[in-house]
Amino acid sequence: MEGDLSLSWDSDDEFEKFIRRMNPPRVVIDNESCANATVVRVDSANKYGILLEVVQVLTDLNLITKKAYISSDGGWFMDVFNVTDRDGNKIREQSKLDEIGNYIRKSLGADSSFVPSRRRSVDVAPSSDYTVIELTGTDRPGLLSEVSAVLTSLKCNVVNAEVWTHNTRAASVMQVNDEQTGLAITDPERLFRIKELLCNVLKGNNITRGAKTAVSMGVTHTDRRLHQMMFADRDYERSDKDSGNESHRPNVTVVNWFDKDYSVVTIRCKDRPKLLFDTVCTLTDMQYVVFHGNVDAEGPEAYQEYYIRHIDGSPVNSEAERQRVIQCLEAAIERRVSEGLKLELCMSDRVGLLTDVTRIFRENGLTVIRAEVSTRGGKAINTFYVRDAAGNSVDAKTLEAIRQAIGLSVLQVKDHVDQSKSSPQGSPTRFLFGGLFKSRSLYNFGLVRPYS
């Protein structure tokens, strides 16, 4: 019987590949039809996860999606994305336009086998130059400093890293190599020792929530993996101290459109880069399929609307499931919110640099709430979002002491960002699929009813 099931699965998979070969994805890029954005139209045979695949490519290419129109009901996927560069301009360079089309076609081609995994990224191949370390545990002041110190003591050099904190939890994906050879660490005993010591650091004094460490070789799509790690760690479960902060959360609603058997998800929040990726990633990893959707992020507030069903074909069918979808989308949006003081470090890289910088932060009473650490051409280019240990803004005296200790010329203070103080206000025009109900709510037609 198991053999029959395996044969059936393989046959279905080969049939889907055959359909995709007969109907290769079509990408049309248009710079004429929209005055302020480059329009990317994607047509392809439909498959599970295809929307995330396209959004991930656009995000990895540092494009900002201003508007999107999504339709994948049935066997065909047809999406339109209005995109700009990070400065809000159209994409003019022909090489960049070609790159967009080529990456999308490659990603959706017949030989691609997309599943919601961690090993997908634009133009990244497995590397023997580093080992990937994944960490999850309880957040606390000085945690990044302690982790960095352990790695330095174990003769590990941090090449790249990203750290997220949310709702008392912390997650990090780090690429490290051997201090002496500059190559990936492969010795099993040494890897076990690294995992063991880091796990002890991450546990801290928390006896109710555990810590996890994992090591791997090859490719990790960092943002995707961080979402998966924090979701698995249940960071969406609110602590008691967060119960009074509802006005600061994104506005997320889930209602059922019973006539069409869809659940309608609407999201209103302050716009920021990678917001579309974060929400689509979460819905996909929760095994929901977006059949139709509209995104409008042309103002300071973003509006997203998705018509979804679970991968088994059912809409959201209980109040508990509805609340979980809301909580998980709120968490996905909040994880990347840039609260606190933004500090940028740019200087020649050296072994132990991250340890020294984070130690100075810790000694001056600062905690890192998010970090992006990278090494390019021998240069360390790091971004830290910091607050004091009590969660308050950093005072000028402390900031000056830190800059003096690290170096005034290499540590730059960027604009102070505190998006947690912003709450969604108002409601932009709703663009429901097909334009059928434009500017009017589904409630007016009696098609959507809230849960009782």
Side-chain angles (χ1 to χ4, degrees):
M1 186 65 177
E2 290 181 0
D4 293 339
L5 288 172
S6 176
L7 180 62
S8 174
W9 176 269
D10 291 342
S11 299
D12 290 344
D13 186 53
E14 288 303 315
F15 179 72
E16 289 183 7
K17 287 183 178 180
F18 173 75
I19 293 297
R20 293 204 297 272
R21 288 192 184 98
M22 294 297 294
N23 301 277
R26 188 167 68 102
V27 182
V28 177
I29 301 178
D30 172 16
N31 254 335
E32 303 301 326
S33 60
C34 181
N36 56 4
T38 298
V39 179
V40 180
R41 297 183 177 89
V42 183
D43 296 339
S44 173
N46 201 9
K47 59 176 178 176
Y48 172 57
I50 190 171
L51 175 60
L52 177 57
E53 189 81 336
V54 176
V55 170
Q56 184 168 297
V57 169
L58 296 176
T59 303
D60 289 347
L61 292 173
N62 293 317
L63 300 176
I64 304 297
T65 300
K66 294 298 185 181
K67 284 190 176 183
Y69 307 92
I70 300 159
S71 179
S72 61
D73 210 345
W76 202 251
F77 172 85
M78 295 178 289
D79 279 16
V80 179
F81 301 89
N82 289 12
V83 302
T84 68
D85 63 17
R86 287 298 181 95
D87 297 322
N89 301 316
K90 284 187 176 185
I91 315 303
R92 297 291 186 181
E93 302 85 357
Q94 189 58 48
S95 60
K96 186 71 172 182
L97 296 173
D98 293 339
E99 186 180 40
I100 296 169
N102 291 337
Y103 277 134
I104 293 175
R105 292 184 194 98
K106 179 180 177 181
S107 180
L108 303 184
D111 293 328
S112 70
S113 54
F114 177 83
V115 291
S117 74
R118 61 188 177 186
R119 304 198 180 282
R120 303 288 297 187
S121 190
V122 166
D123 201 27
V124 176
S127 173
S128 61
D129 293 340
Y130 56 78
T131 300
V132 178
I133 301 178
E134 298 176 352
L135 312 169
T136 54
T138 303
D139 186 31
R140 66 178 185 276
L143 179 60
L144 179 58
S145 175
E146 294 177 42
V147 168
S148 303
V150 168
L151 290 171
T152 299
S153 70
L154 293 170
K155 307 298 182 183
C156 300
N157 181 46
V158 178
V159 181
N160 298 291
E162 189 148 353
V163 181
W164 289 0
T165 64
H166 178 250
N167 196 19
T168 75
R169 307 301 293 169
S172 178
V173 174
M174 294 183 161
Q175 297 173 355
V176 305
N177 59 24
D178 180 76
E179 178 183 311
Q180 292 184 330
T181 67
L183 299 176
I185 300 166
T186 58
D187 178 64
E189 291 186 9
R190 188 177 177 190
L191 291 174
F192 177 79
R193 180 67 173 158
I194 292 170
K195 289 175 60 176
E196 183 180 48
L197 292 181
L198 288 177
C199 198
N200 290 336
V201 170
L202 289 161
K203 284 178 181 177
N205 297 322
N206 194 319
I207 60 174
T208 60
R209 295 287 293 273
K212 293 181 181 179
T213 60
V215 296
S216 63
M217 317 299 282
V219 177
T220 296
H221 188 278
T222 303
D223 291 1
R224 185 77 192 281
R225 187 58 186 148
L226 283 166
H227 275 303
Q228 292 174 338
M229 290 162 62
M230 298 205 86
F231 174 75
D233 198 42
R234 306 191 312 279
D235 74 310
Y236 52 84
E237 295 178 350
R238 299 282 177 183
S239 60
D240 292 338
K241 69 177 183 179
D242 287 333
S243 59
N245 293 334
E246 292 189 10
S247 62
H248 297 154
R249 295 178 194 166
N251 187 331
V252 182
T253 63
V254 180
V255 294
N256 274 3
W257 183 5
F258 291 100
D259 286 17
K260 295 294 185 181
D261 234 17
Y262 290 123
S263 292
V264 184
V265 177
T266 59
I267 300 168
R268 291 198 306 275
C269 65
K270 184 177 177 67
D271 190 31
R272 59 164 175 76
K274 299 188 179 182
L275 178 64
L276 178 60
F277 170 84
D278 293 338
T279 55
V280 172
C281 177
T282 297
L283 289 171
T284 305
D285 283 342
M286 293 182 74
Q287 296 195 313
Y288 291 101
V289 178
V290 176
F291 288 88
H292 300 278
N294 287 276
V295 173
D296 184 357
E298 290 196 311
E301 181 178 88
Y303 177 77
Q304 300 180 0
E305 184 169 55
Y306 303 113
Y307 294 75
I308 67 168
R309 294 186 190 127
H310 194 266
I311 194 172
D312 64 8
S314 64
V316 175
N317 54 28
S318 71
E319 176 62 18
E321 183 183 0
R322 186 180 78 92
Q323 288 296 334
R324 189 165 182 260
V325 171
I326 291 173
Q327 289 177 345
C328 290
L329 285 170
E330 288 176 346
I333 295 167
E334 292 169 349
R335 287 169 194 151
R336 211 196 294 266
V337 168
S338 302
E339 299 177 0
L341 183 69
K342 182 180 179 181
L343 302 176
E344 287 189 356
L345 174 76
C346 182
M347 62 183 296
S348 296
D349 190 33
R350 60 173 173 81
V351 174
L353 176 62
L354 181 62
T355 301
D356 292 341
V357 171
T358 54
R359 173 181 52 77
I360 292 170
F361 289 164
R362 183 186 64 195
E363 290 172 348
N364 284 273
L366 298 191
T367 183
V368 177
I369 54 180
R370 192 159 70 86
E372 299 169 7
V373 176
S374 62
T375 305
R376 303 172 200 164
K379 288 278 189 181
I381 304 172
N382 304 339
T383 302
F384 303 95
Y385 295 88
V386 298
R387 285 188 165 184
D388 70 15
N392 301 317
S393 299
V394 182
D395 63 64
K397 185 177 179 180
T398 301
L399 177 59
E400 183 62 21
I402 291 170
R403 294 192 67 210
Q404 289 286 351
I406 296 175
L408 296 176
S409 62
V410 299
L411 185 66
Q412 299 295 320
V413 181
K414 297 300 179 179
D415 293 337
H416 184 200
V417 183
D418 191 351
Q419 295 177 343
S420 67
K421 305 305 181 186
S422 302
S423 58
Q425 300 292 332
S427 176
T429 302
R430 298 187 174 207
F431 299 96
L432 306 186
F433 70 83
L436 182 59
F437 306 124
K438 188 175 182 180
S439 304
R440 290 194 285 175
S441 168
L442 288 170
Y443 290 105
N444 297 337
F445 294 87
L447 298 176
V448 172
R449 300 196 299 275
Y451 290 83
S452 57

